Amino acid sequence: MDFTFKIDYLLVGLMQVIGFFIQGTTGFGCTVIAAPVTNGLLGTTMGVPYGTAITIPFLYYLAVKGRKDISWKDLGKIVVLCAPGILIGQYLFYQISPETAKVLIGAMVTIIALMNLHKYVIKPLVIKEMDDVEVADTLVKRTFRYGCLILGGIVHGAFNIGGPLITVYTLEAVKDKKKFRNTMTMLWVVLNSWNLFNQHQNGAFTNELNSALLIALPLAGIGFFFGMRFLEKINREQFLRIVYVVLLIIGSNMLLSNIPWTADSKMMSMIGTAIVLAGYTFNVFKKRKVNVEKLQTR
């Protein structure tokens, strides 16, 4: 192999430090977090297989290391329900616009992330309200979770962006933070190995791609190592907050970067968002005042 150095390869590699810190902590997110930089500098033809290949050594390492902390039952459900969707998605790749799919998925993931950030961040830390009663797992909730899982398989097969939807299911199914990360890791071992095989068969691995990977792997390793150490120092509540912040970043970026904006639509969106945020903030601090007064009288 003829090694090639380009400054773009180094810049993309530096982005992997951030992406793999998140991956080492949560078990997902490195490819999507780094995708704007990766695809922007390398192009999608090289960037997509790059994102697949760079994860493989770390996924296999963590899968072997954490094999005793994998929820095999839930992993089996995920694989079984995603597999048909991946095959369907590979067919739909030629039928659906990637931009349309990203807008829809981005909107769904953003809404889910915002709802859960309200639950795990705003309610306990700002409003000072705690959920004392565990909410029952209803048929509607289970249907929603499995629907996210099936849809996640379809969009992953079509556009390699099903991770956020699959995460929605796994967060509810696997409560322990280490089991969640290791179960997600094992899932990406399965899915990314399949993608890597297909990409290799299609001739994606050129000298340029291999050179970019050699530069980035040590940098990714640094981020991954510190992400794994960080997971040891946080509790489940902090872990969930980090996961939903990551999902919000992924979902909102996927949504906003694929909407065909015009000057008028952008202005209307900004005004609407400002009004909604103002109303939400007013309501939050109104509830906070009531709860603080209750706590002071106890």
Side-chain angles (χ1 to χ4, degrees):
M1 183 190 86
D2 294 327
F3 180 78
T4 304
F5 176 82
K6 292 183 180 179
I7 192 66
D8 286 352
Y9 298 169
L10 179 59
L11 294 174
V12 170
L14 289 171
M15 186 64 202
Q16 305 310 315
V17 177
I18 300 171
F20 275 87
F21 177 84
I22 293 167
Q23 182 79 26
T25 303
T26 64
F28 75 101
C30 65
T31 304
V32 185
I33 288 289
V37 173
T38 304
N39 293 335
L41 293 176
L42 302 182
T44 54
T45 302
M46 183 172 166
V48 171
Y50 175 97
T52 303
I54 197 169
T55 64
I56 291 295
F58 302 103
L59 292 177
Y60 274 84
Y61 166 76
L62 197 56
V64 172
K65 183 176 182 291
R67 62 190 180 280
K68 294 181 180 178
D69 285 320
I70 293 173
S71 177
W72 293 101
K73 178 181 177 182
D74 288 298
L75 178 64
K77 287 182 182 179
I78 294 169
V79 172
V80 167
L81 289 174
C82 280
I86 288 174
L87 297 176
I88 294 170
Q90 289 173 345
Y91 167 76
L92 291 178
F93 174 76
Y94 301 100
Q95 312 296 324
I96 300 175
S97 161
E99 288 73 24
T100 301
K102 288 177 181 178
V103 167
L104 295 174
I105 300 303
M108 182 182 296
V109 172
T110 300
I111 291 169
I112 291 168
L114 287 172
M115 289 171 60
N116 282 283
L117 284 173
H118 175 81
K119 178 180 178 180
Y120 291 107
V121 178
I122 302 300
K123 285 180 73 174
L125 300 183
V126 181
I127 299 177
K128 305 295 183 182
E129 179 180 328
M130 304 298 293
D131 288 326
D132 296 323
V133 181
E134 189 172 336
V135 180
D137 189 19
T138 63
L139 177 61
V140 172
K141 289 183 177 180
R142 289 195 297 273
T143 302
F144 174 76
R145 286 203 306 272
Y146 283 109
C148 284
L149 189 54
I150 294 168
L151 183 59
I154 293 172
V155 297
H156 198 78
F159 308 112
N160 207 30
I161 56 171
L165 287 174
I166 297 170
T167 301
V168 170
Y169 168 84
T170 314
L171 274 172
E172 289 297 322
V174 184
K175 300 297 185 182
D176 180 80
K177 63 178 184 177
K178 271 194 174 181
K179 281 194 173 182
F180 170 82
R181 184 196 64 182
N182 293 339
T183 302
M184 290 297 293
T185 295
M186 195 64 204
L187 172 66
W188 302 132
V189 166
V190 175
L191 297 183
N192 283 12
S193 295
W194 172 254
N195 284 341
L196 188 72
F197 173 77
N198 283 336
Q199 289 160 359
H200 182 269
Q201 292 296 101
N202 292 329
F205 290 87
T206 61
N207 282 335
E208 289 77 12
L209 177 55
N210 293 331
S211 298
L213 288 170
L214 282 175
I215 293 170
L217 280 168
L219 297 168
I222 293 170
F224 190 72
F225 173 81
F226 283 106
M228 290 176 62
R229 293 294 173 268
F230 183 65
L231 179 67
E232 304 290 340
K233 300 182 182 298
I234 58 176
N235 58 36
R236 175 167 169 78
E237 287 71 27
Q238 293 166 328
F239 174 74
L240 287 172
R241 289 165 191 161
I242 292 169
V243 169
Y244 284 117
V245 167
V246 173
L247 281 176
L248 178 61
I249 293 169
I250 291 172
S252 58
N253 177 66
M254 198 180 292
L255 170 64
L256 297 175
S257 62
N258 288 281
I259 292 176
W261 295 105
T262 63
D264 289 341
S265 65
K266 190 176 289 187
M267 179 60 68
M268 291 298 294
S269 296
M270 291 173 64
I271 294 171
T273 301
I275 292 171
V276 171
L277 282 175
Y280 174 74
T281 303
F282 175 79
N283 190 48
V284 163
F285 282 97
K286 182 180 177 181
K287 288 184 177 180
R288 173 187 167 85
K289 183 179 179 182
V290 172
N291 287 323
V292 170
E293 288 174 353
K294 285 181 180 179
L295 290 172
Q296 290 173 344
T297 56
R298 287 181 181 178

